[in-house]
Amino acid sequence: MRHVFWTVLLSVIAFAVTPTEIRSQNLPYKDPSLPVEDRVEDLLGRMTLREKVMQTVQRTYGKNTNINNIEKEVKAVDPTVGSLIYRSTSPELYNEIQRRAMQETRLGIPILCGFDAIHGFRTVFPIPLAQSCSWNPELVRLSCRVAASEAASSGVKWTFSPMVDVARDSRWGRVSEGYGEDPYLNTIMGIAAIKGYQGSDLSDPSAVAACLKHYVGYSMSEGGRDYQYTNISAQTLWETFMPPFEAGVKAGAATVMCAFNDMNGVPASANPYTLTEVLKKQWAHDGFVVSDWNSVEQLIAQGVAADDREACLKAFTAGVDMDMVDDIYFDHLEKLIEEGEIPVGMLDEAVRRILRLKFRLGLFEAPYVDERPEQERFLQPESIDLARRLAAESMVLLKNENEVLPIASDVKRIAVIGPMAEERAAVNGSWEGYGKPEDVTPLLDCIREKFGDRLEIDFVRGCGFDGDDRSNFDAALQVAVKADLVILCLGEKREWSGENGSRSVLELPDIQEELALYLGEADVPLIFVLSSGRPLALANVEPVAAAIIQMWQPGSQGGFALADILAGDVNPSGKLSISFPWSTGQQPVYYNVRRSARPKMGHYKDIPRTPLYPFGHGLSYTSFTYGKATCSADLVRIGEKICIEVPVTNTGKRDGMETVLWFVSDPVASISRPEKELKYFEKKLVRQGDTEIFRFEIDPERDLSFVDDKGNRHLETGEFYVLVGSQRVEFQLAD
Ligand code: NOJ
């Protein structure tokens, strides 16, 4: 009660000064020469209870572009609100809102505007899953830089990205939003994204704050059904799902979003262990945690809160600092503090974290943005070039029988067939930000632009994405038999992946499979071009394909990137960051499985034991030969390092980029370890005929240790293997 008394008294004193007086005073929190922490404390000391609560409230402004974000209403903006999901690209509108916050409120605290710039803001890059197949973190960083500067120019200073939920079941539609099945790859790409968004200084006008999500375990939603409960052992949590978050926090991610799922019955939005004990105390994250959309209110649906008040109490005391959209903190936090259920110090700590970011972003000094026209801010030529390059590096050549690709000079006539050929929305993919279908040039047009001068090109759609209309099959067959090769463009509609985009079947819809098999009857090579937000199960149709390019949802420049690859102007270098199963029933399938009791037994009787295309698979138009891998020593002591090298020679007919993946295997440990784990990778250009040396420097503490079910690291001596290409290098670790 003493807290309440002082809070009320301070409010009275605070209000004795008029807003205009405070704004015109030279108060310490307005002094940019003071350290951020001093400014935060000064401002916090001047705030009323209500003003503090308002900082924890996030509302929306503008048009709802996400059908899964069901909102009660778009509320008129309260200028004391902490944050808005700002769904507009207008700097003028943003400045107007911000002007009210800066000039019409007592303390002039700027509003932090956030938005889902997931793979671009207006310039649309490939979906994150595709980006990870590029194995090129620098391109990922640069793409996030572009997204940041386009967003920031509209007033958006916070993006709800990157998602580093390690993918385990591709039925879950949101595998498209992350970086695949491996924790290390998610870590490296997550860090690249954070660095791209935030740059080296958050107060740079083109920087935006990043948000690591969804903390934690969301990708284990049971059966791949979105929003479901999860069953994750403490060991798997620490080994698989925590590492990208821990690394992202260490890399400086400004914020974290908690997830929708529960773990052991504890919803992620009400989990004091993950949010407070681990994130804030153990990892010392000094940014803030935002709930996911309505996830505080959803504690009621999840059965851990009887009503909104209890949901507020549980989420806030667990460590959720800001409440996205559902207004539960707005309605209940103040009262809970007044009643002594929540100590005011806890609110101070949440507000401190939110204000700290606003100061770091420089919002107090520079709350407004330049009101420049869109053509100066969006889709700049260098951004478009980057989108094309990243799309090309993200595409994976899964199969290329008899080197049917690139399209040879003696090919005179091709047929383009399939529902994806004229598609725009699916090429951009889900979470396309402000990307527009009209920014996309369909695959067919890109193919015509690239080859129109030298090839006859026929087009027949053949079938829809789904349904059972086969009436166009014969027309498709007729153009196919006249052609020297067929480019068959198949895949998923935009809304079949992404949030709430789970599918029970990973095969292509029956109608598309039937079309492929029908055309397979013709004596003409079929080149499959596949666009999807997840791996597809291709075993039924793969036998009729001469070549397969997995183009994912490649973003607005994807068609041009594809044409570059078909023509051989770009040599494909993508490799899978996620396994392509034989069939849906093989889910979950991922490379870094824990050892089995009977490794040669226990597999399904009706399909091979391995995926159709495993993690790391991806072909090139050239060939690479790995020489003998050598180790600098066969015994390493704790505290020392050793280096393993492998020469890679380009033995083919053109320059190409190769990514070498380095795995570690610990054959005997105190707990059963995964068969192998990726610890390092490197991508390099290897010119035709040249040899490049790839190196992996092993730091035992970092690369040979493992975490236990409480997150403690253990380094055990004994035998280790490094796996590279098809080779195994053995060495010992000793005290
Ligand atoms: C819900 C999604 O789960 C999350 O990823 C997204 O950032 C928010 N909605 C805001 O749109």
Side-chain angles (χ1 to χ4, degrees), residues 66 69 85 116 118 160 174 177 213-214 218 227 257 260 292-293 324 431 499:
N66 177 357
N69 293 344
I85 299 185
D116 289 287
I118 307 295
F160 308 129
R174 304 197 80 169
E177 297 173 48
K213 70 184 189 184
H214 306 83
Y218 182 31
Y227 313 124
M257 184 187 294
F260 286 131
D292 201 345
W293 188 283
M324 186 185 280
W431 293 111
E499 186 183 349

Side-chain angles (χ1 to χ4, degrees), residues 669-720:
S670 53
I671 59 164
S672 176
R673 307 283 308 123
E675 283 173 7
K676 59 179 188 175
E677 292 172 291
L678 184 72
K679 292 292 175 181
Y680 185 60
F681 65 86
E682 193 181 5
K683 184 172 190 174
K684 277 193 204 181
L685 174 70
V686 190
R687 296 209 181 271
Q688 185 199 354
D690 278 2
T691 299
E692 291 286 340
I693 306 292
F694 288 73
R695 277 187 193 87
F696 172 28
E697 189 186 60
I698 300 174
D699 172 347
E701 291 287 347
R702 183 192 60 200
D703 302 319
L704 307 180
S705 64
F706 61 88
V707 280
D708 64 19
D709 59 0
K710 295 183 184 54
N712 300 317
R713 273 215 162 261
H714 298 270
L715 182 60
E716 296 177 348
T717 54
E719 192 176 24
F720 285 90

Side-chain angles (χ1 to χ4, degrees), residues 125 298 308 378 428 454 471 569 628 677 723:
F125 294 93
Q298 286 164 195
D308 288 358
F378 299 158
N428 264 344
R454 68 171 178 102
S471 58
D569 298 340
K628 189 170 166 30
E677 292 172 291
L723 309 168

Side-chain angles (χ1 to χ4, degrees), residues 397-542:
L397 181 64
L398 294 174
K399 179 175 181 181
N400 194 16
E401 234 171 42
N402 305 322
E403 299 191 354
V404 63
L405 287 177
I407 296 176
S409 53
D410 59 350
V411 169
K412 297 283 176 270
R413 186 178 200 112
I414 63 171
V416 179
I417 299 174
M420 195 58 77
E422 291 181 302
E423 177 61 26
R424 293 170 192 266
V427 173
N428 264 344
S430 65
W431 293 111
E432 70 277 52
Y434 287 103
K436 300 195 170 139
E438 51 274 28
D439 296 341
V440 176
T441 309
L443 310 185
L444 177 62
D445 297 8
C446 295
I447 291 169
R448 284 204 166 115
E449 193 181 304
K450 181 69 100 179
F451 299 98
D453 298 348
R454 68 171 178 102
L455 297 181
E456 293 293 323
I457 303 174
D458 294 312
F459 168 68
V460 171
R461 190 157 195 254
C463 68
F465 281 98
D466 50 7
D468 53 10
D469 182 0
R470 295 168 184 77
S471 58
N472 216 216
F473 274 26
D474 283 331
L477 188 62
Q478 273 165 28
V479 294
V481 294
K482 281 196 287 175
D484 297 321
L485 60 83
V486 172
I487 299 176
L488 184 56
C489 307
L490 305 173
E492 293 188 322
K493 280 187 185 170
R494 174 192 171 281
E495 58 277 14
W496 290 358
S497 63
E499 186 183 349
N500 199 16
S502 303
R503 287 183 68 214
S504 70
V505 170
L506 299 181
E507 281 76 9
L508 285 164
D510 291 351
I511 189 83
Q512 296 192 47
E513 285 201 343
E514 279 177 39
L515 176 67
L517 297 175
Y518 195 69
L519 296 175
E521 301 286 309
D523 186 21
V524 53
L526 293 186
I527 315 290
F528 285 14
V529 167
L530 305 174
S531 169
S532 58
R534 57 159 61 76
L536 298 166
L538 297 171
N540 296 339
V541 288
E542 179 274 338

